[in-house]
Amino acid sequence: MARRGGRGSKAGLLLGAIADDLTGATDLCNTLVAEGMRTVQVIGVPRAETAVPDADAVVVALKSRTVPPGKAVRESRAALAWLREGGARQIFFKYCSTFDSTPRGNIGPVADALLDDLGADLTIACPAFPTNGRTVYRGHLFVGDVLLENSGMRNHPLTPMRDSNLVAVLGAQTPRPVGLVGHETVRKGAGAIRRAFEGLRQAGTRHAIVDAVADKDLMAIGAACADLPLITGGSGVAMGLPANFRESGLLGEAEEAAALPAASGHAAVIAGSCSTATLGQIEHMAATCPAFFVDAEALAARRRVAVEALAWARPRLADGPVLIYASAAPARVRRIQKKLGAGKAGAMIERCLARIAAGLVDAGTGRLVVAGGETAGAVVGALGVQALRIGAEIDPGVPWTMSVGEPRLHLALKSGNFGAPDFFTRAFEVLP
Ligand code: ADP
């Protein structure tokens, strides 16, 4: 089939998504790319005058999960307005598959505001992600073999989840009626689910929790949602949406969704994560590549470590990937944290690594791997990167991406615990 949703197509933006955090947004992007949608992730609320990138799906990554509900609603509405201006045909509100929220929000208030702005009367709420052990049955969310309320989420520092009944949890966050489409309906397929939506709609329900215990449930739910202006859920339920666009002839076949332009420029890894996985990856790469340790103690003593790191790196960049890392084992991390406080130490190191990243890019680096969620946020901010086109995965959950606009850069942002031991070196090998 000819690709009608491809570059320069008339179909334009199909799915517009708003995610309540950065890694959740990446997770959704991965799902959409795997299902054949060319996807761009935008970091933060885009300025109104910013053009919507050429893509089948655009995911706006907010940081709105635990901010006051008013702020989450404002930012989500601004993102919605921008996505609609860009032509989005359907809107997806993405939150965590453990329904991370508090009785104040922000899932209910944001979903209500998006429904209002879209002039829609019914949406679904489906955090299920069976591959990752998140299933919903009789409206109750399970994490592996236990109910949400008995999982580690019970003691989450910001969003403790102590009730597994999503009808009740969402009901506490919205004045609008919340209903359930049970598994006995879902298993009958898209037609039955659609009829259930109609029944709920007529009864005045505005949010439908939908059961799902397997990927085939998510596919059926996706098909049943083809005509809903707004869908809310985890990235699992997004799996079923690309097929709708494909069926209506707006989206071509999957092959090139993950294709990125060829990479160029020097290669570097910057690591600020102190996770076990990252420490192993550092050890692995340092065995064969030049490596520079950013010493937090030297930084605290006001040595110009970023300048030293760049002076070290510049003459080596032409010979292959270099590694610059601040990551250290727990005892060393504790020592500096004791001296400065954990927050201050972290921020100081993030600033230094971000400065080094900017210097490396100035020196001709075009392929950059960054390890650590907060570290990646600081680096992307310092580089002025506002949007990323999502490419193929290096390891599960970590795709290569390419910046949209300047600087032109291939970036792999790895959250600390992800990736096999050879991740850093293999990342450059898989990049065309
Ligand atoms: P992860 O994804 O593993 O959580 P992050 O980058 O989000 O990684 O968090 C790691 C934090 O640890 C960052 O704030 C980073 O600056 C900080 N850090 C890195 N190296 C050290 C170190 N040697 N001592 C103390 N803190 C460090």
Side-chain angles (χ1 to χ4, degrees):
M1 175 175 164
R3 186 184 172 79
R4 278 190 268 167
R7 202 175 295 274
S9 78
K10 291 184 191 67
L13 179 59
L14 303 176
L15 186 68
I18 301 161
D20 68 355
D21 88 333
L22 184 68
T23 47
T26 308
D27 183 17
L28 174 60
C29 288
N30 264 323
T31 304
L32 296 173
V33 169
E35 298 297 325
M37 295 187 96
R38 293 174 312 124
T39 304
V40 170
Q41 175 174 345
V42 173
I43 298 155
V45 183
R47 281 195 296 269
E49 66 275 16
T50 308
V52 171
D54 166 39
D56 302 320
V58 170
V59 179
V60 177
L62 301 179
K63 210 168 187 277
S64 56
R65 185 168 297 166
T66 55
V67 302
K71 186 169 191 245
V73 165
R74 259 194 319 281
E75 293 187 351
S76 303
R77 293 184 66 198
L80 172 67
W82 181 78
L83 289 165
R84 290 181 85 190
E85 187 65 30
R89 292 166 188 252
Q90 189 169 45
I91 299 296
F92 190 90
F93 169 36
K94 156 79 172 70
Y95 40 78
C96 192
S97 61
T98 40
F99 216 72
D100 299 19
S101 51
T102 71
R104 295 179 67 205
N106 291 332
I107 295 173
V110 169
D112 283 341
L114 298 178
L115 275 173
D116 287 347
D117 284 6
L118 287 162
D121 58 0
L122 178 82
T123 186
I124 66 157
C126 182
F129 199 167
T131 311
N132 285 354
R134 275 55 157 164
T135 51
V136 181
Y137 184 68
R138 308 297 323 150
H140 288 65
L141 179 53
F142 289 80
V143 176
D145 293 333
V146 299
L147 282 165
L148 174 68
E149 67 199 56
N150 297 325
S151 76
M153 283 305 295
R154 181 173 189 81
N155 298 315
H156 190 283
L158 302 175
T159 52
M161 301 302 290
R162 302 209 165 142
D163 187 352
S164 312
N165 179 351
L166 297 183
V167 176
V169 172
L170 186 55
Q173 297 180 29
T174 169
R176 302 178 192 187
V178 180
L180 173 68
V181 180
H183 193 251
E184 70 283 4
T185 304
V186 172
R187 62 197 284 268
K188 290 186 191 140
I193 300 169
R194 225 175 281 122
R195 284 191 292 280
F197 288 165
E198 203 36 56
L200 288 171
R201 186 179 273 124
Q202 272 164 24
T205 297
R206 295 292 171 257
H207 302 271
I209 304 291
V210 187
D211 280 356
V213 300
D215 283 357
K216 77 171 185 338
D217 296 335
L218 294 176
M219 297 309 278
I221 295 165
C225 289
D227 296 325
L228 291 187
L230 175 69
I231 294 154
T232 89
S235 58
V237 77
M239 219 164 65
L241 302 179
N244 296 333
F245 296 116
R246 199 161 281 129
E247 224 150 78
S248 47
L250 296 168
L251 181 69
E253 287 312 315
E255 305 94 48
E256 338 106 45
L260 295 178
S264 61
H266 303 314
V269 175
I270 293 200
S273 162
C274 299
S275 70
T276 313
T278 300
L279 292 173
Q281 288 153 354
I282 288 170
E283 195 180 330
H284 188 275
M285 181 171 179
T288 54
C289 299
F292 183 97
F293 177 55
V294 170
D295 185 351
E297 314 258 353
L299 257 179
R302 304 201 165 273
R303 275 224 336 250
R304 303 179 68 200
V305 181
V307 175
E308 291 169 21
L310 288 168
W312 169 88
R314 274 191 206 98
R316 291 177 169 83
L317 283 169
D319 300 330
V322 300
L323 166 66
I324 297 180
Y325 65 103
S327 324
R332 195 163 189 154
V333 171
R334 271 197 301 275
R335 209 162 58 225
I336 189 79
Q337 285 181 338
K338 221 165 140 196
K339 215 185 236 169
L340 300 181
K344 208 167 157 210
M348 173 188 78
I349 295 163
E350 284 165 34
R351 267 197 311 277
C352 177
L353 293 177
R355 208 168 296 146
I356 293 170
L360 289 173
V361 171
D362 281 345
T365 298
R367 296 166 287 159
L368 189 62
V369 174
V370 186
E374 294 299 323
T375 306
V379 166
V380 162
L383 295 175
V385 171
Q386 287 168 5
L388 300 166
R389 187 171 293 281
I390 308 298
E393 282 183 323
I394 305 161
D395 272 336
V398 202
W400 267 113
T401 72
M402 183 163 184
S403 56
V404 176
E406 292 297 323
R408 190 179 183 282
L409 197 62
H410 280 75
L411 275 169
L413 308 176
K414 187 188 83 75
S415 112
N417 258 321
F418 283 23
D422 63 347
F423 181 91
F424 290 156
T425 42
R426 196 159 36 80
F428 299 112
E429 289 161 15
V430 299
L431 195 61

